[in-house]
Amino acid sequence: MAKPNKKGPTKTVDIFCSACKAPLFKYRKGGKGALVKCFKERIRQDFTQEPCICPNCNRPFAREAIIRGAPAYKVIGGKVTFK
């Protein structure tokens, strides 16, 4: 399968924990759909200390995965919001 475009989209979104509203990532998201996965190479700024764990409330919000041959976080439904 094809890998995701390295340069990726130019639109940056802020991703927050849905429980405590703590910032998690600044991410270059493509498209206008729901946030299902975050490719690690598209993350501009990471506010987490542990991968996939909210730094404020310590709840897991994603799982690490390999998607289309690239490392990514697979987001658990309803655990994050973005603007």
Side-chain angles (χ1 to χ4, degrees):
M1 272 205 192
K3 287 192 174 187
N5 186 354
K6 286 225 188 266
K7 187 171 181 244
T10 56
K11 180 182 154 193
T12 303
V13 295
D14 296 322
I15 301 174
F16 303 96
C17 175
S18 61
C20 65
K21 307 297 184 220
L24 301 173
F25 302 132
K26 283 192 184 285
Y27 181 70
R28 286 197 333 242
K29 183 182 182 313
K32 54 188 173 188
L35 187 69
V36 176
K37 60 190 168 280
C38 292
F39 289 106
K40 290 182 184 179
E41 61 197 23
R42 289 188 186 179
I43 294 173
R44 291 292 113 220
Q45 197 171 4
D46 189 354
F47 300 108
T48 62
Q49 282 85 41
E50 274 184 80
C52 304
I53 305 290
C54 175
N56 197 20
C57 64
N58 293 327
R59 287 179 45 189
F61 62 87
R63 295 182 190 91
E64 293 192 62
I66 302 292
I67 299 173
R68 287 188 247 140
Y73 296 128
K74 194 145 168 89
V75 176
I76 301 168
K79 299 281 184 163
V80 299
T81 58
F82 68 94
K83 291 183 185 176

